[in-house]
């Protein structure tokens, strides 16, 4: 009985130490709409004036800002990693860049006709979020990561804005569009395909000049893709190009497919990766 009571008290203490996820909205003049987002706040947030490093965690195509909390169980995982010391205390921001109705709703992290999301993200969203949630707000304490379309989004954001992020962790990343194998079977054409073709992360590294390559080398890069993922070839191709251009990165190919089982495990590695690279020159 005594052991049982101790166990109950142990789990009660864990619940008291848990972080929380809050939903918020920002009005975008660029997008002419309200944009929802979720924010993970570590235990103790609000009990002082301390500032936190930040991770921007991007969802995939057909998903929304709630996907990482609902399907990826990110709060439980973040609590566990922070409690164990594998990850530092951080704010995790999950913006909305789409929804399940991919044919009638705007989707994607890149600028497209009528949907200048990249402009919104860097000129409206990031400044507002970082003021409101006491983020340190510099390159050394800011990371970006995501899955599938969000994996491509975080890669492209770091390519185009390497002065903004210390690290990039791309999971099952959609890195361009060159043929049928780059996208799930049965999907209909849509603007996001053209956007990924226009903003291809692979084309970017192929065409980067030396000055751009120097800036890319200031980011820590990690690509994580399953051996049965339809996007594996694109991830391997980008890794080979970056190696050839002497931009150091890490590539992990693990057993898995393009699904939440894989991304949950990827997040378990991604948050400690971001933590290790916070504060590094």
């Amino acid at each position: 009985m005594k052991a049982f009571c101790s166990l109950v008290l142990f789990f009660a203490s864990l619940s008291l130490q848990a972080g929380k996820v809050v939903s918020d909205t920002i009005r975008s003049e660029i997008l002419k709409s309200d944009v929802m987002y979720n924010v993970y706040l570590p235990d103790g947030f609000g009990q002082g004036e301390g500032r936190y490093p930040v991770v921007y965690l991007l969802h995939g195509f057909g998903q929304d800002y709630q996907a990482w909390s609902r399907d990826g169980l990110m709060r439980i995982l973040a609590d566990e990693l922070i409690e164990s010391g594998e990850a530092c205390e951080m704010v995790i921001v999950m913006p909305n860049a789409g929804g399940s109705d991919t044919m009638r709703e705007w989707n994607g992290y890149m600028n497209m006709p009528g949907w200048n999301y990249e402009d919104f993200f860097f000129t409206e969203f990031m400044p507002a979020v970082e003021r409101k949630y006491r983020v340190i707000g510099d390159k050394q304490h800011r990371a970006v990561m995501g899955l599938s379309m969000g994996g491509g989004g975080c890669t492209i954001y770091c390519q185009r804005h390497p002065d903004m992020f210390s690290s990039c962790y791309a999971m099952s990343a959609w890195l361009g569009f060159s043929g049928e194998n780059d996208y799930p079977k049965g999907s209909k054409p849509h603007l996001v395909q053209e956007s990924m073709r226009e903003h291809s992360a692979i084309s970017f590294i192929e065409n980067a000049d030396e000055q751009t390559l120097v800036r890319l080398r200031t980011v820590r890069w990690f690509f994580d893709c399953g051996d049965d993922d339809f996007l594996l070839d694109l991830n391997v191709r980008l890794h080979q190009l970056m190696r050839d251009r002497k931009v150091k990165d890490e590539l992990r190919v693990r057993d898995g497919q393009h699904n939440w089982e894989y991304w949950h495990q990827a997040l378990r590695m991604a948050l400690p990766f971001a933590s290790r690279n916070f504060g590094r020159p």
Side-chain angles (χ1 to χ4, degrees):
M1 182 66 179
K2 183 177 180 180
F4 174 78
C5 292
S6 297
L7 191 62
V8 170
L9 289 173
F10 171 74
F11 282 108
S13 68
L14 288 182
S15 65
L16 291 174
Q17 296 171 10
K20 62 180 179 180
V21 174
V22 298
S23 296
D24 208 338
T25 308
I26 180 174
R27 177 65 187 178
S28 171
E29 295 304 319
I30 292 174
L31 300 179
K32 306 300 181 187
S33 65
D34 294 329
V35 180
M36 296 289 295
Y37 62 99
N38 274 352
V39 184
Y40 168 85
L41 303 174
D43 179 60
F45 183 91
Q47 300 176 8
E49 297 301 319
R51 305 184 78 81
Y52 295 82
V54 63
V55 166
Y56 289 91
L57 182 58
L58 310 184
H59 65 74
F61 182 67
Q63 301 170 359
D64 60 24
Y65 69 102
Q66 300 184 79
W68 272 110
S69 297
R70 180 186 61 236
D71 303 315
L73 306 177
M74 62 76 48
R75 184 192 64 78
I76 296 172
L77 187 53
D79 285 345
E80 176 187 327
L81 292 170
I82 292 172
E83 177 68 21
S84 69
E86 296 173 78
C88 66
E89 290 188 336
M90 63 180 75
V91 169
I92 303 174
V93 181
M94 293 154 277
N96 199 58
S100 58
D101 189 349
T102 58
M103 299 305 294
R104 291 186 296 179
E105 293 180 1
W106 288 107
N107 281 264
Y109 299 97
M110 301 298 104
N111 287 347
M112 294 182 281
W115 179 254
N116 291 320
Y117 193 92
E118 183 180 354
D119 292 347
F120 154 74
F121 187 92
F122 285 95
T123 64
E124 292 183 328
F125 184 69
M126 279 180 49
V129 168
E130 294 186 1
R131 283 194 304 268
K132 184 169 185 178
Y133 291 101
R134 300 208 320 272
V135 167
I136 296 172
D138 61 22
K139 172 183 171 68
Q140 285 72 33
H141 298 90
R142 189 187 290 123
V144 63
M145 57 186 66
L147 67 88
S148 194
M149 179 182 76
C154 70
T155 303
I156 295 166
Y157 277 6
C158 274
Q159 288 179 332
R160 294 162 63 88
H161 307 271
D163 55 322
M164 300 295 287
F165 302 102
S166 59
S167 69
C168 170
Y169 196 109
M171 314 169 199
S172 309
W174 186 15
L175 298 165
F177 186 80
S178 58
E180 292 181 359
N181 292 334
D182 294 351
Y183 203 70
K185 294 180 179 179
S187 299
K188 297 180 180 180
H190 46 70
L191 285 173
V192 180
Q193 288 179 325
E194 292 304 315
S195 175
M196 295 307 294
R197 189 197 309 273
E198 180 181 347
H199 297 92
S200 167
I202 291 174
S203 296
F204 186 95
I205 196 72
E206 286 177 329
N207 298 315
D209 58 25
E210 185 56 35
Q211 184 177 7
T212 300
L213 294 172
V214 169
R215 297 174 66 214
L216 295 180
R217 292 174 190 135
T218 68
V219 178
R220 267 64 176 192
W221 303 88
F222 201 118
F223 299 95
D224 186 348
C225 193
D227 57 356
D228 292 319
D229 196 307
F230 64 92
L231 294 175
L232 175 61
D233 290 346
L234 287 174
N235 283 258
V236 172
R237 175 62 176 154
L238 183 60
H239 168 68
Q240 292 172 329
L241 285 168
M242 292 181 71
R243 182 181 58 189
D244 292 344
R245 304 303 305 273
K246 295 182 171 53
V247 179
K248 185 177 179 180
D249 73 307
E250 297 184 54
L251 171 67
R252 294 293 181 275
V253 179
R254 298 182 288 113
D255 180 37
Q257 303 180 31
H258 202 79
N259 57 29
W260 278 109
E261 180 181 0
Y262 192 89
W263 301 324
H264 180 76
Q265 293 301 318
L267 187 62
R268 182 176 292 278
M269 296 190 294
L271 294 180
F273 177 77
S275 296
R276 291 194 299 272
N277 288 297
F278 285 142
R280 294 181 62 173

